[in-house]
Amino acid sequence: MEVKTSLLDNMIGVGDMVLLEPLTEDSFIENLRNRFDHNEIYTYIGSVVISMNPYRSLPIFTPEKVEEYRNRNFYELSPHIYALADEAYRSLRDQDKDQCILITGESGAGKTEASKLVMSYVAAVCGKGQEVNKVKEQLLQSNPVLEAFGNAKTVRNDNSSRFGKYMDIEFDFKGDPVGGVISNYLLEKSRVVKQPRGERNFHIFYQLLSGASDDTLRKLKLDRDFSKYNYLSLDSANVNGLDDAANFRTVRNAMQIVGFMEDEVQSVLELVAAVLKLGNIEFKPESRSNGYDESRVKDKNDLKEMCELLGIEQSVLERAFSYRTVEAKLEKVSTTLNVSQAYYARDALAKNLYSRLFSWLVTRINESIKAQSKTRHKVMGVLDIYGFEIFEDNSFEQFIINYCNEKLQQIFIELTLREEQEEYIREDIEWTNIEYFNNAVICDLIENNQNGILAMLDEECLRPGTVTDITFLDKLNTVCAEHQHFESRLSKNSKFLTDHSLPHSCFRIQHYAGKVLYRVEGFMDKNNDLLYRDLSQAMYKANHKLIKQLFPEGNPAKVNLKRPPTAGFQFKHSVGTLMRNLQTKNPNYIRCVKPNDKKAPRIFTDSLVRHQVAYLGLMENVRVRRAGYAYRQAYEPCLERYKMLCKQTWPHWKGPTREGVEVLMADLQVSTEEFAYGNSKIFIRNPRTLFSLEEKRRGCLENLAALIQKIYRGWKCRTHFLLLKHSQVVVAAWYRRYAQQKKYTQIKSATIMVQSYSRGWKARKILRELKHQKRCEEAATTIAAYWHGTQARRELKRLKKEARRRHAVAVIWAYWLGLKVRREYRKFFRANAGRKIYSFIMQRLMQKYFLGLKRDLPSMSPIGGSWPTRPYRFLDTAHTELRSIFHHWRCKKYRSRFTDERKAVFEEKLQASEIFKDKKALYPSSVGQPFRGDYLEISKNPKYQKLSSAMDEKVLLADVVNKINRANGKGTARIFLLTKNNFVLADQKTGQVKASVPLPDLASISVSTQNDGFFALKLKEGSAGATKGDFLLSSEHLIEIITKLRRTGATAVNHDHLDIDISDEFLVQFKQDKVCVKFVQGAPKNGNGASCKRKNNRLLEVSVPSTA
Ligand SMILES: Nc1ncnc2c1ncn2[C@@H]1O[C@H](COP(=O)(O)OP(=O)(O)O)[C@@H](O)[C@H]1O
Ligand SMILES: [Mg+2]
């Protein structure tokens, strides 16, 4: 169940000042102090929130708090800024009413923080989603950017906003933010060039110098040292609790999120740097012939750097600091500037540069955050404008700021009263007039178009002739003298003539929030806000996009002789627009109060708060609110809260709630003047009545609590008792069940026992009878069996006796027969026994011999020499015979396996043996080598293709031989081919045929007896081949070549044999000469064969290494 709470629960002091009783300034302050001491920084005046600056972080802005206040009624929980934000947001979302949140209070009272709290609350409770979150983030991140450029440390506030800000947040029909628009008001630009003691310039200067990287600073031509810059006050450059470097990073990050491009950020920083540089430009006088001093730039370095930064031509700017061109109609007059005028021009430029940069930033942010769709949006405006300012020295800025506050007060009065009035009408309550101070007269004093102060100031600024601040004051003195809120020593109003608190150069205005003394010095200048045209033109000429954009009036093509609107005029205009804007919206007020001047937590300075309460008109606010009826509440929550005070309405009222409240009030006998019934609300005139209701309610609540307690205790005891009783029944039931169960099992087992005994007894009885019966039957059988047994045994005995007798007869008969036969044959045995035994033994021996021979047969190789030894000598001849038979048989077997080719090979080998065996030492080594014939594989080898094709017969032998040159005995490799009819010598490399000799021309062959391969082929004298003489050749296959030559030669010439001459000395016919070839035994040589040497014309000596 949802617990209905109320603002009135657990209140510290009074949560709503409207209920303060008695209402005096003291009790008001005391209530604030009481609540402030208890960390209750928010207090209501009706729907207005008073916010005290705690100067420390309190745990009341957590996400849990946001949830707590979300969708709750305004008066349901203790006062909080979130309640106001929630109310505004819901009324915007659900009732389609545009809202504005007006935050006022003096500098440092917490306005800016309050505006951020409102924005963060709305961001937290509104819709979510990627797009919405992006918009939210951009809206929230616009704050750090604007604060860096528009806030500064002042004596009152370390983060004081030096501009007014009004931000419209736009929502779609669902209540999701879609964009926003920011308006800025009057930046305090004089701060750029000069800061009061104890204050700083705008944060961005310090942030840039502390936070930028070395590289960035180098690019911007800046130095990290604050003291290098004239425009930065030094005494308070570092502020406690302010981390400029970290803030710089935050600002850069925020700019990125808001959507600034990298080059835009760079341009902005360049401008900031340029302002710092500008401040360092100094001037010196230079005397002129006409006696006047003319200013000159003292040290041109800063000027140069600044011009480089902004892309300005140095000479143009330098000239603009020395001369001023005045254009009047068609004339152009150039006058020189003295040093102070030059400084004035410099500062004016710096101020303009900075304030225009600031305005540009706002425009740029607006561009990023503006809503994408053009449809009408619901709007929530948040106004965070500088509060009322009273300084020791108040100038034009304070005048303007205070004017703005007057206007806000005006709108506050108007709207609250109107709202009050409207509510009474809506609720049909009679309207009673309320007395309050209306500050419209003060607004009129300032803004009246005919004789308002601003109008006078403008008039004076435009007036030809010498005009000064004093002439302006004179004018005021004449025009405003009679005004009751205007005070001046020299006014016609004689009452101030002797007022020494009022200096001559000042005027004083009685603002709604107090009297403020303004010094007129500077009013004219500041209102004029003049920037020499030469300077704006110099800026326009800059080669820098942003600068050019900021000074459009410097465009020579658009020279406008009309004066620009004055600052006062512009401000009045924009304030007017703002007011009109605010009037269309539903206002929500947050009035910020500063508890002390020290920016310290927990200190409550009575006088300071009292002063603020006075000038913020808070008492009046309460009075206005209470003028009619102090308290009002819708019927339903009212009845809900007080229904226990009356029997008819307690605990439930069935009828309409209004009637319920009427019955309740009647029952309580509240006097009828004290309250009135509106259409939806009851209005209570005096807080006392409300408090007495609350008192009664509290008393009643105590009784109710006792009642509830009583009922609860009764209920608790009863339920406990019932529980016990119930438990007892359950336990008893369980026990009984258990006991019965146990008894039952006992009886059951006993029964089974008895049953089993009786069954056993019966069974045994039957068994006995059965056994007896069976035994009787068995006895008869046994007797019969015994009887049969006796009979069978008797028969068996008789049969055995008879069989034994018959067997005995047969045995006796056989013995008798045997005896008879032995006696008859004994004489034949002895005569044949010897011969028979001999032939038997011989047979056995021969059998054994043949079987043994069969088992031990030697190998089947024809050259195998082994043969088993004979076992007995008498087998000698047979054994030798068998050996030769076996050998012939295995030779036959071997031969039968031969093919014709193999047969031819063996024939060749046989022939070789016939020729060379025991004749030539080379022979034995050739026996094991097979005769391959075609060593060169002539038909297959592609190298010899030509040669092979030249042979028209089958090549029987092809080999490489050495042809011995008779001139030196050296060999040349030749291919030796042998066919059926010819032998051929051919070149080994080319295959060209060198000599082809028909075999019949071959007469004989000579070889040595030794281990060499030399042979001479001697041709028949007179034959065709013999012209060149015989051939002396050597070959590794000598034996084969000669054997083949002989075999082939024999068939070719068809005679028996070719002569083979084997001797160590023979003659060879070389052409005409006969040369003797002689073989000698040389020293044994390793590897190398025989070598041939020519000894003389007729002798070739072949040295053959000895084989030993
Ligand atoms: N609700 C708050 N909680 C904690 N500190 C606050 C709160 N409101 C203001 N302050 C403190 O007071 C200082 C001044 O507040 P600020 O909003 O800048 O004042 P204003 O805008 O009215 O000049 C802040 O810097 C902060 O330290
Ligand atoms: Mg502020």
Side-chain angles (χ1 to χ4, degrees):
M1 194 185 83
E2 197 187 340
V3 183
K4 283 259 168 23
T5 53
S6 165
L7 164 80
L8 300 167
D9 294 322
N10 308 323
M11 243 181 354
I12 291 164
V14 183
D16 190 342
M17 289 293 192
V18 172
L19 304 177
L20 197 63
E21 196 58 39
L23 177 65
T24 62
E25 203 173 72
D26 289 335
S27 64
F28 192 100
I29 305 286
E30 193 44 44
N31 190 35
L32 279 183
R33 176 207 287 281
N34 184 15
R35 289 177 64 74
F36 182 73
D37 288 347
H38 288 86
N39 292 336
E40 289 284 351
I41 58 166
Y42 297 114
T43 309
Y44 293 152
I45 302 177
S47 58
V48 174
V49 176
I50 303 174
S51 156
M52 302 282 289
N53 186 348
Y55 281 121
R56 68 197 167 107
S57 66
L58 293 174
I60 54 169
F61 305 112
T62 56
E64 293 77 42
K65 276 280 169 193
V66 170
E67 277 312 309
E68 195 180 326
Y69 278 86
R70 190 175 184 162
N71 293 333
R72 300 294 280 268
N73 279 329
F74 191 71
Y75 295 108
E76 213 175 306
L77 298 171
S78 60
H80 200 294
I81 195 166
Y82 285 169
L84 177 126
D86 193 68
E87 181 77 8
Y89 176 65
R90 278 194 297 139
S91 141
L92 168 118
R93 188 188 60 193
D94 305 337
Q95 294 166 28
D96 205 11
K97 279 192 204 159
D98 285 352
Q99 303 290 321
C100 63
I101 309 226
L102 305 180
I103 308 171
T104 51
E106 68 181 62
S107 183
K111 298 180 297 294
T112 306
E113 294 297 324
S115 77
K116 287 194 257 185
L117 285 170
V118 169
M119 276 161 70
S120 66
Y121 179 84
V122 173
V125 299
C126 67
K128 302 201 162 50
Q130 206 181 0
E131 198 52 36
V132 175
N133 285 350
K134 188 184 158 203
V135 173
K136 277 189 212 172
E137 194 57 13
Q138 286 194 331
L139 291 174
L140 293 178
Q141 290 299 326
S142 66
N143 272 332
V145 182
L146 290 182
E147 284 191 10
F149 287 86
N151 287 22
K153 179 215 148 103
T154 66
V155 283
R156 298 207 154 72
N157 182 354
D158 289 349
N159 182 31
S160 178
S161 322
R162 305 318 297 162
F163 66 106
K165 179 180 153 196
Y166 174 72
M167 179 168 186
D168 262 337
I169 308 172
E170 300 175 334
F171 295 85
D172 65 6
F173 69 96
K174 302 194 295 294
D176 292 344
V178 289
V181 187
I182 298 173
S183 315
N184 62 316
Y185 300 98
L186 195 75
L187 178 76
E188 185 203 36
K189 56 187 168 191
S190 60
R191 182 168 296 270
V192 176
V193 298
K194 190 164 185 301
Q195 305 89 38
R197 187 168 311 130
E199 302 198 353
R200 292 208 312 183
N201 209 325
F202 292 101
H203 292 325
I204 187 67
F205 293 111
Y206 305 91
Q207 290 176 352
L208 176 65
L209 294 185
S210 331
S213 64
D214 290 339
D215 192 40
T216 312
L217 286 187
R218 203 175 321 112
K219 270 191 208 147
L220 296 176
K221 304 178 194 300
L222 289 179
D223 206 306
R224 224 179 260 294
D225 187 359
F226 295 157
S227 65
K228 296 247 170 86
Y229 300 100
N230 293 341
Y231 278 166
L232 302 186
S233 71
L234 290 178
D235 53 343
S236 52
N238 290 314
V239 184
N240 274 349
L242 212 65
D243 183 349
D244 284 320
N247 286 344
F248 183 67
R249 287 189 288 277
T250 313
V251 170
R252 296 255 357 212
N253 189 34
M255 286 177 99
Q256 203 182 1
I257 293 174
V258 172
F260 279 82
M261 297 294 158
E262 210 34 57
D263 60 323
E264 286 174 328
V265 177
Q266 183 61 25
S267 299
V268 168
L269 294 183
E270 277 164 7
L271 253 66
V272 173
V275 171
L276 285 178
K277 292 271 162 210
L278 199 56
N280 285 1
I281 298 175
E282 289 183 344
F283 303 98
K284 59 181 183 205
E286 194 176 273
S287 299
R288 296 272 305 221
S289 51
N290 58 12
Y292 289 111
D293 278 348
E294 191 181 308
S295 100
R296 285 278 176 273
V297 176
K298 214 192 262 172
D299 174 11
K300 291 189 184 165
N301 195 34
D302 282 304
L303 179 72
K304 179 169 156 271
E305 284 185 353
M306 178 195 156
C307 288
E308 278 170 9
L309 262 179
L310 300 185
I312 300 175
E313 209 176 305
Q314 190 180 333
S315 59
V316 174
L317 190 58
E318 202 179 331
R319 192 188 143 79
F321 282 137
S322 302
Y323 299 93
R324 175 182 170 198
T325 316
V326 182
E327 284 177 56
K329 303 266 162 73
L330 298 170
E331 269 181 294
K332 257 194 192 175
V333 187
S334 184
T335 56
T336 57
L337 298 182
N338 62 27
V339 170
S340 71
Q341 281 170 326
Y343 275 116
Y344 175 83
R346 179 195 77 173
D347 290 348
L349 178 61
K351 287 189 283 188
N352 265 288
L353 203 58
Y354 192 82
S355 73
R356 288 175 193 214
L357 170 66
F358 186 74
S359 300
W360 179 84
L361 279 170
V362 174
T363 320
R364 177 67 189 77
I365 291 175
N366 279 337
E367 228 169 76
S368 274
I369 62 175
K370 76 169 174 235
Q372 298 300 323
S373 73
K374 288 271 184 300
T375 50
R376 200 194 85 80
H377 299 118
K378 304 176 186 189
V379 175
M380 179 184 285
V382 181
L383 182 69
D384 167 22
I385 205 140
Y386 12 59
F388 200 80
E389 280 182 356
I390 310 174
F391 293 137
E392 257 172 45
D393 221 356
N394 301 296
S395 180
F396 182 70
E397 286 88 358
Q398 279 67 44
F399 177 69
I400 290 287
I401 288 171
N402 291 345
Y403 160 59
C404 176
N405 277 279
E406 284 287 354
K407 290 294 281 181
L408 280 175
Q409 174 69 7
Q410 177 70 54
I411 202 168
F412 171 68
I413 291 170
E414 243 177 56
L415 291 178
T416 14
L417 286 180
R418 194 176 70 200
E419 170 60 23
E420 191 80 5
Q421 219 165 344
E422 278 173 1
E423 177 155 39
Y424 286 159
I425 293 166
R426 214 168 35 235
E427 296 284 336
D428 269 345
I429 304 269
E430 207 181 318
W431 169 251
T432 34
N433 210 26
I434 304 160
E435 279 300 313
Y436 62 93
F437 169 66
N438 190 336
N439 70 337
V441 289
I442 309 175
C443 295
D444 187 65
L445 168 67
I446 299 172
E447 66 178 3
N448 189 310
N449 281 340
Q450 265 80 48
N451 51 9
I453 297 176
L454 284 175
M456 293 300 106
L457 185 59
D458 281 359
E459 213 176 285
E460 201 59 11
C461 286
L462 294 177
R463 188 167 64 83
T466 43
V467 282
T468 61
D469 296 322
I470 297 301
T471 59
F472 161 62
L473 185 57
D474 287 346
K475 191 161 196 157
L476 287 187
N477 283 338
T478 45
V479 179
C480 309
E482 298 301 323
H483 200 285
Q484 67 215 55
H485 291 272
F486 181 81
E487 299 171 4
S488 164
R489 261 314 249 293
L490 299 174
S491 75
K492 287 186 190 149
N493 199 334
S494 53
K495 116 175 136 179
F496 302 110
L497 271 172
T498 50
D499 188 344
H500 292 289
S501 64
L502 195 57
H504 283 281
S505 61
C506 297
F507 66 91
R508 191 157 61 198
I509 292 179
Q510 277 184 34
H511 284 289
Y512 77 99
K515 291 184 175 183
V516 183
L517 187 70
Y518 297 102
R519 189 175 294 280
V520 285
E521 189 192 328
F523 263 58
M524 297 290 282
D525 261 350
K526 287 173 181 173
N527 191 41
N528 263 329
D529 189 22
L530 270 188
L531 180 68
Y532 296 148
R533 184 162 294 139
D534 303 68
L535 282 173
S536 54
Q537 281 176 352
M539 291 298 121
Y540 183 79
K541 279 188 201 150
N543 186 16
H544 191 282
K545 223 170 105 194
L546 185 52
I547 282 275
K548 225 183 179 65
Q549 215 177 323
L550 295 186
F551 290 89
E553 82 269 26
N555 185 350
K558 290 189 195 158
V559 174
N560 186 358
L561 293 182
K562 241 176 79 187
R563 288 176 72 96
T566 60
F569 179 85
Q570 280 181 35
F571 191 75
K572 191 171 111 184
H573 182 73
S574 52
V575 164
T577 317
L578 174 67
M579 294 305 144
R580 278 192 295 283
N581 184 357
L582 294 180
Q583 263 160 353
T584 62
K585 299 193 163 91
N586 186 39
N588 302 273
Y589 290 97
I590 300 169
R591 322 225 79 188
C592 298
V593 174
K594 197 168 150 176
N596 62 64
D597 251 342
K598 302 188 176 66
K599 308 175 194 169
R602 295 202 177 84
I603 300 176
F604 188 94
T605 311
D606 212 285
S607 57
L608 189 73
V609 176
R610 191 177 292 272
H611 177 67
Q612 290 172 81
V613 167
Y615 79 65
L616 284 174
L618 297 184
M619 290 294 293
E620 281 165 4
N621 195 179
V622 181
R623 281 200 200 100
V624 167
R625 181 81 187 174
R626 276 168 45 141
Y629 295 90
Y631 185 75
R632 63 215 66 186
Q633 194 172 32
Y635 288 121
E636 203 188 319
C638 175
L639 183 61
E640 190 65 26
R641 194 164 177 85
Y642 302 113
K643 62 182 180 181
M644 70 289 285
L645 300 182
C646 163
K647 284 213 174 86
Q648 285 107 300
T649 50
W650 178 255
H652 297 295
W653 172 256
K654 295 275 175 344
T657 42
R658 178 175 172 160
E659 276 169 31
V661 175
E662 281 171 7
V663 168
L664 180 75
M665 290 316 233
D667 192 68
L668 290 173
Q669 294 178 339
V670 185
S671 78
T672 42
E673 315 85 74
E674 275 302 311
F675 63 90
Y677 296 117
N679 288 337
S680 65
K681 290 177 181 170
I682 178 165
F683 288 74
I684 294 173
R685 193 177 294 282
N686 203 319
R688 237 173 299 141
T689 315
L690 179 72
F691 290 135
S692 81
L693 282 179
E694 278 291 308
E695 194 56 42
K696 281 184 188 155
R697 181 176 178 266
R698 216 167 302 138
C700 202
L701 282 185
E702 270 165 27
N703 291 341
L704 282 179
L707 184 68
I708 292 171
Q709 255 182 3
K710 188 177 79 185
I711 293 174
Y712 172 71
R713 288 212 187 105
W715 171 82
K716 205 175 151 190
C717 285
R718 203 171 50 250
T719 31
H720 188 63
F721 167 73
L722 286 178
L723 191 69
L724 285 180
K725 201 175 149 194
H726 179 70
S727 313
Q728 187 268 330
V729 172
V730 171
V731 171
W734 277 91
Y735 175 73
R736 279 198 209 109
R737 181 177 159 226
Y738 168 74
Q740 288 300 323
Q741 241 172 8
K742 212 169 150 191
K743 200 167 155 195
Y744 166 75
T745 32
Q746 270 173 2
I747 293 171
K748 196 177 165 189
S749 60
T751 316
I752 290 170
M753 185 81 79
V754 171
Q755 242 178 15
S756 67
Y757 274 111
S758 98
R759 281 196 195 125
W761 174 78
K762 269 189 198 165
R764 276 193 301 280
K765 203 173 142 195
I766 294 169
L767 183 69
R768 250 193 327 270
E769 278 168 16
L770 286 176
K771 273 183 176 169
H772 178 72
Q773 215 174 327
K774 198 180 170 199
R775 229 178 288 142
C776 291
E777 279 166 19
E778 273 175 1
T781 318
T782 311
I783 292 166
Y786 275 108
W787 168 242
H788 288 309
T790 318
Q791 281 216 326
R793 272 191 303 276
R794 259 184 221 157
E795 180 63 14
L796 184 67
K797 217 188 228 169
R798 191 188 59 81
L799 285 176
K800 273 184 178 170
K801 214 173 176 178
E802 195 176 308
R804 221 178 294 142
R805 208 183 63 219
R806 240 185 260 149
H807 181 67
V809 171
V811 170
I812 293 166
W813 172 245
Y815 274 103
W816 163 243
L817 223 60
L819 185 71
K820 224 166 101 179
V821 167
R822 271 192 306 276
R823 263 184 209 159
E824 224 167 285
Y825 284 86
R826 191 171 295 149
K827 54 191 181 252
F828 301 114
F829 271 125
R830 279 192 197 136
N832 292 324
R835 231 177 326 123
K836 272 212 171 151
I837 289 168
Y838 174 76
S839 73
F840 175 76
I841 287 172
M842 281 310 279
Q843 259 174 14
R844 296 290 304 152
L845 282 178
M846 291 303 282
Q847 204 175 11
K848 199 176 157 196
Y849 166 66
F850 283 121
L851 287 174
L853 200 59
K854 184 184 167 197
R855 207 168 40 241
D856 294 340
L857 272 188
S859 85
M860 291 295 283
S861 164
I863 53 170
S866 69
W867 187 245
T869 47
R870 60 172 161 71
Y872 306 106
R873 196 176 300 165
F874 74 94
L875 288 174
D876 244 355
T877 353
H879 194 66
T880 328
E881 195 60 25
L882 276 173
R883 181 180 185 169
S884 110
I885 293 170
F886 175 76
H887 182 67
H888 282 107
W889 173 72
R890 72 181 173 192
C891 286
K892 183 170 178 286
K893 277 268 173 196
Y894 185 72
R895 279 196 310 275
S896 65
R897 288 209 301 272
F898 272 23
T899 59
D900 285 345
E901 283 152 40
R902 266 183 79 72
K903 217 159 145 185
V905 168
F906 274 84
E907 271 168 17
E908 263 178 10
K909 278 282 179 189
L910 186 66
Q911 207 158 20
S913 115
E914 278 164 9
I915 302 169
F916 295 108
K917 193 171 175 194
D918 300 333
K919 293 176 190 158
K920 184 156 171 79
L922 185 67
Y923 173 71
S925 64
S926 81
V927 175
Q929 292 169 3
F931 291 170
R932 272 170 54 201
D934 190 358
Y935 287 92
L936 302 180
E937 299 193 314
I938 199 140
S939 55
K940 287 183 207 154
N941 197 333
K943 194 169 142 193
Y944 304 121
Q945 204 179 356
K946 205 168 137 201
L947 184 63
S948 139
S949 60
M951 297 295 108
D952 39 9
E953 291 160 328
K954 188 173 178 250
V955 175
L956 301 175
L957 184 142
D959 191 12
V960 175
V961 300
N962 270 327
K963 180 171 175 286
I964 307 299
N965 192 340
R966 77 161 175 143
N968 51 14
K970 294 256 167 67
T972 323
R974 286 276 186 269
I975 294 171
F976 181 87
L977 297 176
L978 175 68
T979 65
K980 209 169 141 197
N981 294 312
N982 299 296
F983 72 83
V984 176
L985 284 172
D987 192 286
Q988 193 204 9
K989 282 184 197 122
T990 59
Q992 192 191 353
V993 175
K994 293 277 181 191
S996 172
V997 181
L999 284 182
D1001 289 355
L1002 188 61
S1004 68
I1005 301 169
S1006 295
V1007 293
S1008 77
T1009 61
Q1010 300 189 29
N1011 193 16
D1012 61 281
F1014 285 80
F1015 63 102
L1017 299 179
K1018 297 186 181 168
L1019 304 183
K1020 283 186 187 149
E1021 270 176 44
S1023 68
T1027 49
K1028 279 189 183 168
D1030 301 339
F1031 297 99
L1032 179 60
L1033 306 168
S1034 89
S1035 162
E1036 284 168 25
H1037 305 109
L1038 171 94
I1039 305 291
E1040 185 181 354
I1041 290 175
I1042 289 173
T1043 311
K1044 285 214 162 128
L1045 266 176
R1046 176 153 183 190
R1047 265 170 80 81
T1048 327
T1051 39
V1053 290
N1054 211 1
H1055 56 86
D1056 291 344
H1057 57 265
L1058 187 64
D1059 276 341
I1060 312 276
D1061 169 26
I1062 301 175
S1063 77
D1064 282 345
E1065 223 179 286
F1066 49 79
L1067 290 172
V1068 180
Q1069 177 85 36
F1070 286 121
K1071 292 196 178 154
Q1072 271 78 40
D1073 306 327
K1074 273 200 172 34
V1075 175
C1076 176
V1077 182
K1078 188 175 176 187
F1079 292 84
V1080 292
Q1081 285 255 321
K1085 251 190 201 167
N1086 280 346
N1088 233 337
S1091 63
C1092 180
K1093 253 189 203 152
R1094 184 187 167 99
K1095 283 284 172 184
N1096 58 44
N1097 238 359
R1098 308 240 165 240
L1099 181 66
L1100 274 172
E1101 193 177 272
V1102 181
S1103 161
V1104 185
S1106 69
T1107 44

